[in-house]
Amino acid sequence: MNNFFKKVILLLSIFILSIFVLSGCSKNNEVQPLIKNYEKLLNEGNYEALYDNISKKSKEYISKEEFIKRYSSIYSGIGANDIKISIGEINSKTQIPISITMNTLAGKLKFEDIKVDIVKEDKNYKIIWNESLILPPMTKDDKIGVEVDKAVRGQILDRDNNKLAYDGKAYQVNIHPSVFTANKDENLPKFAEVLDVSMDKISEKIENQNPDHKIPILKVPQYENEKIDLLKTIEGVIIDEVDSRVYQNSEALGCLIGYTDNITKEELEKYKGKDYNSQSKIGKSGLEQVYEDKLRARDGVHIFIKRGEEKITLAKKEPINGENIKISIDSKLQENIYAQMNNEKGASVALHPQTGEVLAMVSSPSYNSNTKVTYITKTISNKWKESEYAHNENRFNNAYSPGSTMKLITASIGLDEKVLNPNDTIDVKGVNWQKSSNWGDYYVTRVKDPGRSVNLYDATKYSDNIYFADLAIKIGADKFIEGAKKFGIGENLEFEYPMDKSQISNNSKIESEMLLADTGYGQGEVLMTPLDVAMSYSALSNNGDIMKPRLVISENKEPKVYSKAINKENLEELISCFGAVINDEDGTGNLGKINGVNLIGKTGTAEIKKSKDDTDGSEKGWFVAVNLDEPKIAISMIIEDLNGKTAGSHVVPKVKNIIKNYINN
C-alpha cells in the first residue's frame, strides 16, 4: 500500500473516531442536565415536576397522582434525604449508568451499576420510568416496610437518684367529633375548663375533620390524674397512653434541666452527619441540650422491601440507648431556694465547700419542663406574658456586677501584698470621697458616714466602699488583677454547664485609678456569676482552697482543688471580719444570723446606672454565706431588682431560711 492510501486511511480513522467522541460528548452534555435535574427535584421533594421528566409511555404506566403518592409516602417513610446521583461512562444512546446514595432513618443506602433507560421525545431526553427508580431493588408490586425499634433516652438523676428527666408516658387527649359535637354546647365549655384552654382553639382543631375519626388535641402529664378523670366523663373524649419525655413536677428545675422537642430543619442542617432525621427529638435547653450527645437515643430502624411474604432488607440499624447522667443537685434544696425567691428575677447557686459538688443552680422565674413537652394552660400562658417571658432567661449562668461581695477578694489581695494592716484605719468624713482632684467630679460613695475612723473589721461589717476603693489603689492594678485570678476572675473555668466568663474589666486591664477604685468594691467593669461568688466564699471554710466545681458526678467523681485562693495565715482575720457582717447586730447581714450556726458572708448591692447622675437605675441585691462548723453549704443569691429595698432586708432573710432548713435537715 503506497503512502497516499495510508494517509487517507489514517485521516478517515481519525475522522470516524472524532465523530464517535463528539457524539459521546454531545450525548453527555444532553443527558447530564436531565439526571442532575432529577437529583435536584428528588432532594426538593418536588415530585410533580419530577413527573414531567418521564416519558410518555411511563405516564401511561403510572398516573401523576399515583407517582407523587408513591414517592411521597416511601421517601418520607424511610426519611430519605441528601440524595446524590453520579453518572458513569455513557456508551449507549438509550441507557445511562448511574450510582445512587441517600441518607435514611436506617443510615446510608448505596446502589451501584443502575441502568436508567432514556428516550428522545420532541428533541428532549426523557426517562423511561419504573419502580426501580424509587429504590433500585423495587419491582412493580413491591411495598416498602419500615420497622422502628425504639431506643431509650438517658435519664437525668439527682444526687439521691431521683429521676429528674426520663422516658415515660403521658396521656394523649383525643376527641371523637361526631360524639363530642352531639352535645357541643355542654361538652366544649367543660372540656376547656378542665384543661384550662381556649374553647376557640379546640373548635378550630375539630372543624372540617372527618366526624368519625378521633382527633388528637393535646398531651397531658401523667401526674394530672384528676384532669384525666374529669375528661373521661365527657362524651366523645378518648384518652390514650403515649410515649413522652417526663420531668420532675417542678418549676425549680426547669431552667437547669431544660426539655426536648422535635428537631427543626435548621438543627438538621447544623447537625448534618450526626445521624439525626426529621423524626428526631433533641435537647432544646438546659442539661438536655448540654448533654445531648450523651443522653440521646438512637432508634433502631429496619427498612425492607415487602415482596409477598418475603422481606428483603435494604438497611438495618440496631437501637442504641442513651447514657444516664447523675448530677450533684439536691432537689429538695433546689425547691427550697426557688420557693424563697418567690418568682423574683434572680439566681442562686449553692455548693459544698469541701467537695466542690454543686448542690443547687436556680434561675427565677423558671418553668415546669413538662409544660414544654405536653401543653401550656391559659393560666401559665398569661403568667408568662405578664412577666414578658422572664422564665425563658437562664440567670444562674449570667455574669453580674458582684457589688460588695467583691470585698473579700480585695481584702485577701491586700493582706497577701502586705499593703493592708487590718488594724490600720482610715478617717474619711462624709459619704463621698476621691483620691485626688484629678478625678474631677467623680466620687466613690458609701451608704453612711460612720462618724469615726474605720479599720478592716469595721469596713467589712458596714460595707464601706471608700475603705475598699482606697485599698485597691494601694494594691495597684497589676497586683490586683493577678490576685483576682486566684479566685478565678478572668480565668477559664472548666465546668459541665456553660457559664458566662468572669472578668476584671472589659479589656482585662485596669487603666485608670478610678476604675481600680470602683473594682475594689465590686463596681466598675468586674463581672462574676453566682457560682464564682459562692466559690470565692467557700474558701473561708476550706482552709483557703477553692474546690473545682462539679455538677455531673457520674463522670466527675473526685474532688480536686481549683485554686489556693486565700493564704492560711490570713484566714482567721478574714473569718473574723466577714463573720461580723452576720454576727454583729450592726452588721449589714445581721438578719441572716442563725442561733447555733457559725455563718460568715457578705451582702452586696450592684448599681446599674447609665451615668453617675442616673436616679432611675436598678439595684441588684446580693448575699453570700458559708457555714464554718462542719461545712456543708456555700450559697450566693442575687435578686435583680431590689425595688427600693436593701440586700440586708430582702435577700439576707431568704438565704437565712434556706441555710437553716438545709443544715437542720
Side-chain angles (χ1 to χ4, degrees):
M1 188 180 291
N2 62 35
N3 288 336
F4 173 77
F5 282 111
K6 285 182 179 179
K7 287 180 181 178
V8 169
I9 290 169
L10 180 61
L11 288 171
L12 188 60
S13 299
I14 293 170
F15 176 71
I16 292 168
L17 182 62
S18 298
I19 288 173
F20 276 112
V21 170
L22 290 171
S23 175
C25 291
S26 172
K27 182 76 172 175
N28 254 312
N29 291 337
E30 288 183 87
V31 169
Q32 281 199 5
L34 172 69
I35 301 300
K36 284 301 171 186
N37 186 51
Y38 198 86
E39 176 190 81
K40 174 177 174 287
L41 295 173
L42 279 177
N43 280 296
E44 291 173 354
N46 190 351
Y47 307 126
E48 185 171 355
L50 197 66
Y51 190 75
D52 294 335
N53 285 265
I54 69 175
S55 68
K56 292 175 183 176
K57 191 173 182 180
S58 300
K59 290 176 181 178
E60 292 172 6
Y61 174 76
I62 186 168
S63 69
K64 180 184 282 191
E65 292 74 17
E66 183 63 22
F67 182 89
I68 293 169
K69 181 181 176 183
R70 294 213 74 187
Y71 268 104
S72 297
S73 60
I74 291 173
Y75 275 29
S76 63
I78 68 173
N81 67 88
D82 196 21
I83 301 160
K84 291 185 172 67
I85 301 176
S86 56
I87 303 169
E89 186 178 345
I90 301 172
N91 296 314
S92 168
K93 293 182 178 181
T94 60
Q95 212 171 54
I96 309 301
I98 65 168
S99 298
I100 303 174
T101 63
M102 64 177 72
N103 292 331
T104 71
L105 298 175
K108 182 169 281 189
L109 285 178
K110 186 174 184 179
F111 305 102
E112 296 179 321
D113 299 325
I114 315 298
K115 301 294 189 291
V116 178
D117 294 323
I118 59 172
V119 64
K120 201 162 192 179
E121 294 178 353
D122 302 325
K123 298 182 180 180
N124 292 315
Y125 280 101
K126 298 288 185 179
I127 291 169
I128 299 173
W129 187 90
N130 60 46
E131 280 77 6
S132 69
L133 288 178
I134 301 178
L135 291 171
M138 281 187 71
T139 58
K140 184 176 181 181
D141 295 321
D142 288 346
K143 294 180 180 178
I144 297 297
V146 178
E147 292 175 348
V148 176
D149 189 356
K150 293 291 290 182
V152 179
R153 188 174 176 87
Q155 299 178 0
I156 302 176
L157 309 168
D158 74 2
R159 67 185 300 107
D160 298 313
N161 291 315
N162 296 308
K163 294 179 183 179
L164 306 183
Y166 61 98
D167 281 1
K169 299 290 184 181
Y171 295 114
Q172 177 65 55
V173 180
N174 312 279
I175 285 177
H176 190 294
S178 62
V179 180
F180 185 84
T181 56
N183 192 12
K184 186 177 179 181
D185 290 345
E186 182 179 329
N187 291 338
L188 183 58
K190 186 176 179 181
F191 185 90
E193 182 182 1
V194 170
L195 290 172
D196 189 15
V197 294
S198 163
M199 286 196 294
D200 291 340
K201 288 186 178 179
I202 304 305
S203 292
E204 287 173 13
K205 284 201 171 189
I206 60 176
E207 273 178 11
N208 303 318
Q209 299 290 335
N210 188 320
D212 293 317
H213 287 183
K214 69 178 181 181
I215 309 300
I217 304 299
L218 47 75
K219 281 199 305 185
V220 174
Q222 282 216 321
Y223 55 78
E224 297 274 21
N225 291 311
E226 188 177 338
K227 285 183 180 180
I228 296 301
D229 290 341
L230 289 170
L231 289 171
K232 286 178 179 178
T233 67
I234 302 173
E235 296 169 314
V237 174
I238 303 167
I239 308 296
D240 294 326
E241 200 173 57
V242 294
D243 294 334
S244 179
R245 193 65 167 165
V246 180
Y247 299 95
Q248 191 173 108
N249 184 19
S250 164
E251 278 194 2
L253 290 154
C255 285
L256 174 60
I257 302 301
Y259 62 97
T260 61
D261 203 352
N262 298 323
I263 197 165
T264 63
K265 285 184 179 179
E266 292 76 18
E267 287 167 332
L268 270 174
E269 185 60 32
K270 180 179 178 181
Y271 300 114
K272 195 172 181 179
K274 285 201 169 185
D275 204 24
Y276 287 102
N277 59 68
S278 57
Q279 279 78 48
S280 294
K281 299 280 187 180
I282 191 169
K284 295 290 185 176
S285 69
L287 287 169
E288 289 276 35
Q289 183 181 46
V290 174
Y291 274 80
E292 168 65 19
D293 284 347
K294 189 171 288 291
L295 293 166
R296 66 175 289 207
R298 294 160 172 85
D299 290 341
V301 182
H302 183 199
I303 297 174
F304 54 90
I305 291 173
K306 291 189 285 186
R307 187 171 293 164
E309 296 299 316
E310 187 182 7
K311 283 185 178 181
I312 303 169
T313 296
L314 295 178
K316 192 170 185 178
K317 181 178 70 174
E318 296 300 322
I320 302 173
N321 292 332
E323 296 179 44
N324 296 344
I325 62 170
K326 183 175 180 176
I327 59 177
S328 54
I329 296 297
D330 183 315
S331 293
K332 291 180 180 177
L333 176 62
Q334 181 96 1
E335 294 278 0
N336 192 20
I337 293 173
Y338 188 73
Q340 289 293 328
M341 296 185 76
N342 196 30
N343 283 318
E344 293 182 70
K345 292 179 184 177
S348 180
V349 172
L351 54 85
H352 194 296
Q354 295 183 332
T355 68
E357 291 174 313
V358 176
L359 304 171
M361 292 175 72
V362 177
S363 178
S364 176
S366 185
Y367 56 87
N368 187 325
S369 296
N370 290 294
T371 62
K372 299 285 191 175
V373 296
T374 56
Y375 84 107
I376 300 166
T377 66
K378 282 198 304 183
T379 301
I380 292 173
S381 180
N382 290 335
K383 175 184 168 184
W384 288 353
K385 189 175 181 180
E386 287 170 11
S387 71
E388 297 180 331
Y389 302 96
H391 69 285
N392 283 336
E393 182 179 351
N394 197 348
R395 292 173 167 79
F396 62 66
N397 56 353
N398 286 351
Y400 300 89
S401 173
S404 291
T405 63
M406 183 74 181
K407 290 170 181 173
L408 169 65
I409 295 167
T410 304
S412 179
I413 299 169
L415 291 169
D416 282 352
E417 296 299 329
K418 311 298 184 188
V419 299
L420 170 60
N421 182 329
N423 296 317
D424 287 350
T425 62
I426 65 166
D427 190 6
V428 176
K429 300 294 189 292
V431 294
N432 296 319
W433 171 86
Q434 56 180 197
K435 184 69 175 177
S436 71
S437 58
N438 292 335
W439 287 17
D441 61 352
Y442 191 82
Y443 294 85
V444 173
T445 303
R446 58 188 176 192
V447 176
K448 64 178 182 179
D449 181 0
R452 59 181 176 81
S453 58
V454 294
N455 59 14
L456 178 62
Y457 186 95
D458 298 323
T460 305
K461 178 171 64 171
Y462 299 136
S463 201
D464 192 329
N465 292 341
I466 293 174
Y467 182 95
F468 286 93
D470 181 59
L471 175 56
I473 292 170
K474 289 174 181 173
I475 294 168
D478 292 342
K479 289 181 178 178
F480 192 95
I481 291 169
E482 285 305 307
K485 286 180 180 178
K486 291 170 68 176
F487 289 85
I489 299 179
E491 299 289 272
N492 291 319
L493 176 65
E494 289 184 11
F495 185 54
E496 297 100 319
Y497 199 100
M499 309 292 281
D500 282 356
K501 187 178 177 181
S502 61
Q503 64 173 50
I504 198 71
S505 72
N506 295 340
N507 64 0
S508 302
K509 300 175 183 178
I510 300 178
E511 297 176 321
S512 77
E513 197 174 58
M514 288 177 285
L515 181 58
L516 178 58
D518 284 343
T519 306
Y521 63 93
Q523 288 287 154
E525 296 170 356
V526 61
L527 297 174
M528 297 173 72
T529 66
L531 175 61
D532 295 323
V533 173
M535 286 170 62
S536 297
Y537 279 76
S538 71
L540 292 170
S541 61
N542 193 41
N543 294 316
D545 294 342
I546 296 174
M547 304 303 291
K548 184 178 179 181
R550 295 185 292 135
L551 180 63
V552 182
I553 53 177
S554 53
E555 296 178 355
N556 198 354
K557 298 178 181 179
E558 297 298 323
K560 295 177 183 176
V561 174
Y562 170 68
S563 174
K564 296 185 177 297
I566 300 173
N567 286 330
K568 290 181 181 178
E569 59 266 28
N570 298 330
L571 269 174
E572 186 178 348
E573 185 66 47
L574 292 171
I575 287 171
S576 172
C577 294
F578 286 85
V581 171
I582 296 170
N583 296 319
D584 287 11
E585 289 186 2
D586 52 352
T588 57
N590 179 251
L591 289 178
K593 187 173 182 179
I594 303 171
N595 292 332
V597 179
N598 190 1
L599 284 184
I600 45 180
K602 187 72 188 75
T603 56
T605 304
E607 297 179 344
I608 310 301
K609 296 183 176 182
K610 294 177 182 177
S611 67
K612 184 172 70 74
D613 301 320
D614 181 8
T615 57
D616 297 321
S618 65
E619 289 187 332
K620 302 182 188 299
W622 282 96
F623 185 52
V624 54
V626 57
N627 77 302
L628 275 185
D629 302 330
E630 297 182 17
K632 290 183 178 180
I633 185 171
I635 178 172
S636 68
M637 180 182 289
I638 181 170
I639 298 296
E640 289 193 0
D641 196 340
L642 289 174
N643 290 316
K645 306 180 187 77
T646 66
S649 66
H650 189 61
V651 188
V652 170
K654 295 177 186 292
V655 176
K656 172 188 175 178
N657 292 337
I658 293 161
I659 295 175
K660 186 176 180 181
N661 179 276
Y662 185 72
I663 289 178
N664 289 341
N665 289 308

